[in-house]
Amino acid sequence: MLYNTVLFDLDGTLFDTAPDIYEACNHTLELYGYSRVSNDLLSGGISYGMRAMLRLGLPPRDHLKAERGTPMYKEFDGYYTKNCHTLTKPFEGIPMLIIALSEHGVTTGVVTNKYMHMVKPLFAQFDFTRRFKTVIAGDSAPNAKPDPEPLFMAMRECGAQTGHTLYVGDTRSDALTARNAKVAFCAVKWGYEVPPSNDADGSGAYYTAERPDDILKIVMGSL
């Protein structure tokens, strides 16, 4: 076994959360008198948070309405939190992967920039999430990803060592987080953004997974 701890990003890695996020964004835009926008357009902002997504549906003169703490931002946040599991599902093969890792004695956890008040109601709907030893959310540490501190927090809670930890994600930010923490990274091919290829800078091994069961093979050293 190469890795005894596997930490995961959430959106685009464990769960296909996009449908509920898109709906919450369009609900907010319509409530404030703006037109709905296509999911194809919104997909360009999904990896960058609520402000970025709202701005995709706002004229430039109104971009300040999307700032954190504004009524539009709070509406998006509140609506999404209440409806975060309406359309969201784990990607095919993810529940079985988490169970298989657990049965092989691998410790798993989550490191996400999603806020904890959004994570909890989502995870409450899916039994496999109980197997995670830790969940570090976007508001769990002073700085969010790609700062390495959230990953370090998760590693401390899991009793993990740098050389035996694998971080799994779907975005450039995830890849950079792993690089900053000097841990191995696995880029998933089913997510929302294509991470960069390995820069071969010596900060950790770099893998790609076409499907979830590839991650188990990577952990066991057979891929």
Side-chain angles (χ1 to χ4, degrees):
M1 183 184 296
L2 291 179
Y3 303 101
N4 55 29
T5 303
V6 182
L7 302 171
F8 294 87
D9 172 53
L10 194 159
D11 301 85
T13 301
L14 294 172
F15 286 89
D16 183 9
T17 55
D20 284 321
I21 296 173
Y22 295 157
E23 182 55 34
C25 186
N26 272 319
H27 158 83
T28 303
L29 289 169
E30 284 190 307
L31 185 67
Y32 282 86
Y34 300 94
S35 299
R36 293 177 69 91
V37 294
S38 70
N39 290 351
D40 286 344
L41 177 61
L42 291 178
S43 67
I46 194 166
S47 297
Y48 302 98
M50 291 187 289
R51 285 177 291 179
M53 293 190 70
L54 284 172
R55 286 172 180 168
L56 290 172
L58 293 172
R61 67 178 182 275
D62 290 341
H63 278 187
L64 288 177
K65 294 182 179 180
E67 288 298 306
R68 186 173 298 169
T70 62
M72 286 192 76
Y73 186 96
K74 290 179 179 179
E75 179 64 29
F76 191 153
D77 184 305
Y79 185 90
Y80 176 72
T81 300
K82 291 177 183 177
N83 298 280
C84 64
H85 48 78
T86 302
L87 302 171
T88 291
K89 302 293 182 189
F91 287 103
E92 184 177 358
I94 286 294
M96 293 305 299
L97 169 66
I98 303 305
I99 292 168
L101 288 170
S102 177
E103 291 177 345
H104 279 83
V106 177
T107 301
T108 59
V110 175
V111 180
T112 176
N113 277 352
K114 200 180 205 74
Y115 298 141
M116 189 65 81
H117 69 269
M118 298 174 175
V119 175
K120 286 182 176 179
L122 174 59
F123 278 15
Q125 305 299 313
F126 299 94
D127 287 344
F128 78 91
T129 63
R130 297 176 184 176
R131 294 177 181 258
F132 295 129
K133 184 174 179 64
T134 186
V135 177
I136 303 299
D139 48 355
S140 298
N143 298 307
K145 298 184 300 182
D147 190 285
E149 182 53 30
L151 201 53
F152 290 149
M153 287 180 65
M155 291 170 65
R156 287 194 294 269
E157 293 190 9
C158 292
Q161 297 178 329
T162 301
H164 297 284
T165 299
L166 178 69
Y167 186 50
V168 181
D170 71 309
T171 69
R172 300 180 69 87
S173 177
D174 294 329
L176 185 56
T177 302
R179 178 177 174 176
N180 289 340
K182 294 182 168 53
V183 302
F185 180 68
C186 177
V188 305
K189 292 297 188 70
W190 56 84
Y192 300 147
E193 183 183 321
V194 179
S197 59
N198 184 20
D199 291 331
D201 65 348
S203 57
Y206 191 105
Y207 306 92
T208 58
E210 297 284 346
R211 22 189 278 176
D213 59 4
D214 287 342
I215 296 168
L216 180 59
K217 295 175 184 176
I218 290 166
V219 167
M220 303 306 293
S222 60
L223 185 66

